[in-house]
Amino acid sequence: MSLLGKAGSASAAHESGFAAHRAGVDRLLASYRAIPAGADVRLAKKTSNLFRARAKNTAPGLDVSGLTRVIEVDPVAKTADVAGMTTYEELVAATLPYGLAPTVVPQLKTITLGGAVTGLGIESTSFRSGLPHEAVLEMDVLTGAGEIITATPDGEFADLFRGFPNSYGTLGYTVRLKIELETVEPFVALRHVRFHDLRELEATLATIVDEKSYEGERVDYLDGVVFSADESYLTLGRQTDEPGPVSDYTGMDIFYRSIQHDSPTPKRDRLTIHDYLWRWDTDWFWCSRAFGAQNPTLRRFWPKRYRRSSFYWKLIALDHKYHVGDKLEARKGNPPRERVVQDIEVPVERTADFVEWFLREIPIEPIWLCPLRLREARDGAAPTGVAERTWPLYPLEPHRTYVNVGFWSAVPTTPGAQEGAANRAIERTVTDFDGHKSLYSDAYYGKDEFAALYGGSTYTELKKRYDPDQRLLDLYSKAVQRK
């Protein structure tokens, strides 16, 4: 095909992508107008990665069926225009053929780009690339006022651009996002470094974040797993184009078990970039063990297409609906269990303190560790002034390293104890350690404390400007009161 033909094909694909997107936006607007005044506004979509119970809603939902595609990838500019309800699985599939990927790819395939921006996301590039919303160049948002506006870092709606992360759909919903992409190599070489002391792990992690290397070898990806106080690991990833054998953890082998070893030298492994990005999804980190999917006999007959986080989430939803787990515990004479499914951030220098407290007080293991820093401009890799951007609804400090600690399970309740006793204790401890907690799961804060932690008067002013008639729930009602 001639250059003219290629240009014509690209132009036609561009027009086709945006035309389909415009049709999807029209359906979204029509569905918004059809929701009765006073009824809760919710998305009409089949999947969710929220772990908050919600009151039932009888009103029709927002039709986002036309907002689930990658509109366009620009491999020269290294950007992508993406509809708000597009999953990262679809986004990665569209970008990898160009040798590109989003700067941060959250661990689960069905997390949407819009969801990661409004609800925060994180992964092993966050120590160098921050959070998903920091790669957004502009976004079209359907506000509570029923208008679609384009928010940019420096435009008329810059206040919404900064306040949108961690707003969880209470200021509006993303319709389209233009994001930066980064170049990736076809493979990731891994080193699993074992630690017998959490404070040594903490110090090593902080050094790697600062130096972006370990023992003379570059580090492009960084996360960790704690199995116990004397068995923890950092996994260091390096992009490479060197050919060679790779491991496969979508079959009988389980990724998190592959991390463990007794050697004083790091254990090495290799994955394709695709399998590295989705290394946690096959077993939903380690949560698939709750369904028996890690039992070798069951795993052999468990259909491969159902070995993924979205299917496990459906099983969890059934448990929430019918209380299967509590009924099984009751048959054994045990009390109901409290769900403890949380991600929190603490400053890196408090990581060992928090993990030691958690292992002592909350009987859950393993624990995931993922360091992060707000993105900084360097070597032309970030927009001018990005280091000065702050995100008021989740106020992390610039130039400071935090560590995300993730734990996802349940613990026995104590008869007579306050509802959510374990989660409340976690909230208090995180606050005492100058940390923050994500809001995708159960929260128990009082109104004043919640406002102090998540935006306060800034959020109130944003709500007045972009949802003047209160068509959308406010953040406290949604995150804590489960409305």
Side-chain angles (χ1 to χ4, degrees), residues 66-77:
L67 303 176
T68 59
R69 61 179 291 164
V70 178
I71 304 166
E72 182 180 54
V73 176
D74 185 336
V76 176

Side-chain angles (χ1 to χ4, degrees), residues 57-263:
N57 187 29
T58 57
L62 288 176
D63 182 355
V64 294
S65 60
L67 303 176
T68 59
R69 61 179 291 164
V70 178
I71 304 166
E72 182 180 54
V73 176
D74 185 336
V76 176
K78 296 184 182 179
T79 62
D81 281 278
V82 186
M85 298 300 134
T86 305
T87 66
Y88 273 92
E89 182 175 25
E90 294 162 330
L91 177 53
V92 166
T95 61
L96 279 188
Y98 298 102
L100 299 170
T103 58
V104 180
V105 179
Q107 314 88 340
L108 307 181
K109 292 179 176 179
T110 55
I111 293 175
T112 64
L113 177 59
V117 170
T118 194
L120 305 185
I122 192 170
E123 237 295 336
S124 59
T125 56
S126 289
F127 78 106
R128 59 180 174 84
S129 296
L131 301 173
H133 59 265
E134 296 188 86
V136 176
L137 300 172
E138 64 180 36
M139 55 184 169
D140 295 342
V141 179
L142 171 64
T143 69
E147 303 171 333
I148 292 182
I149 63 173
T150 300
T152 61
D154 306 310
E156 178 184 358
F157 307 112
D159 58 343
L160 180 61
F161 187 90
R162 291 189 298 272
F164 197 80
N166 209 47
S167 62
Y168 281 90
T170 65
L171 298 175
Y173 294 94
T174 49
V175 175
R176 177 192 64 90
L177 304 100
K178 185 172 186 177
I179 63 169
E180 295 176 284
L181 304 171
E182 69 174 13
T183 300
V184 292
E185 299 290 354
F187 305 103
V188 179
L190 301 178
R191 286 176 291 169
H192 305 304
V193 184
R194 177 168 178 165
F195 296 87
H196 298 273
D197 181 86
L198 289 168
R199 301 198 176 270
E200 183 185 358
L201 177 144
E202 176 189 285
T204 303
L205 187 152
T207 299
I208 294 173
V209 170
D210 288 339
E211 298 180 357
K212 309 297 184 294
S213 66
Y214 178 74
E215 294 186 344
E217 191 172 326
R218 191 182 74 249
V219 175
D220 299 314
Y221 303 97
L222 175 61
D223 65 349
V225 178
V226 176
F227 290 90
S228 66
D230 58 5
E231 185 188 5
S232 56
Y233 300 85
L234 291 178
T235 292
L236 322 178
R238 176 179 55 84
Q239 294 186 29
T240 178
D241 62 356
E242 300 166 7
V246 293
S247 298
D248 180 1
Y249 296 105
T250 63
M252 291 299 292
D253 294 332
I254 298 168
F255 178 73
Y256 87 98
R257 288 300 183 194
S258 75
I259 294 171
Q260 294 180 278
H261 64 88
D262 294 323
S263 173

Side-chain angles (χ1 to χ4, degrees), residues 10-36:
S11 176
H14 172 91
E15 290 301 321
S16 175
F18 278 93
H21 179 68
R22 285 191 291 269
V25 172
D26 289 342
R27 292 202 299 275
L28 172 74
L29 289 170
S31 68
Y32 185 82
R33 294 169 186 139
I35 298 174

Side-chain angles (χ1 to χ4, degrees), residues 323-338 411-415:
H323 307 290
V324 176
D326 286 347
K327 290 175 181 176
L328 292 175
E329 291 296 327
R331 287 187 177 183
K332 300 175 186 176
N334 297 330
R337 295 175 68 84
E338 177 186 349
V411 298
T413 58
T414 301

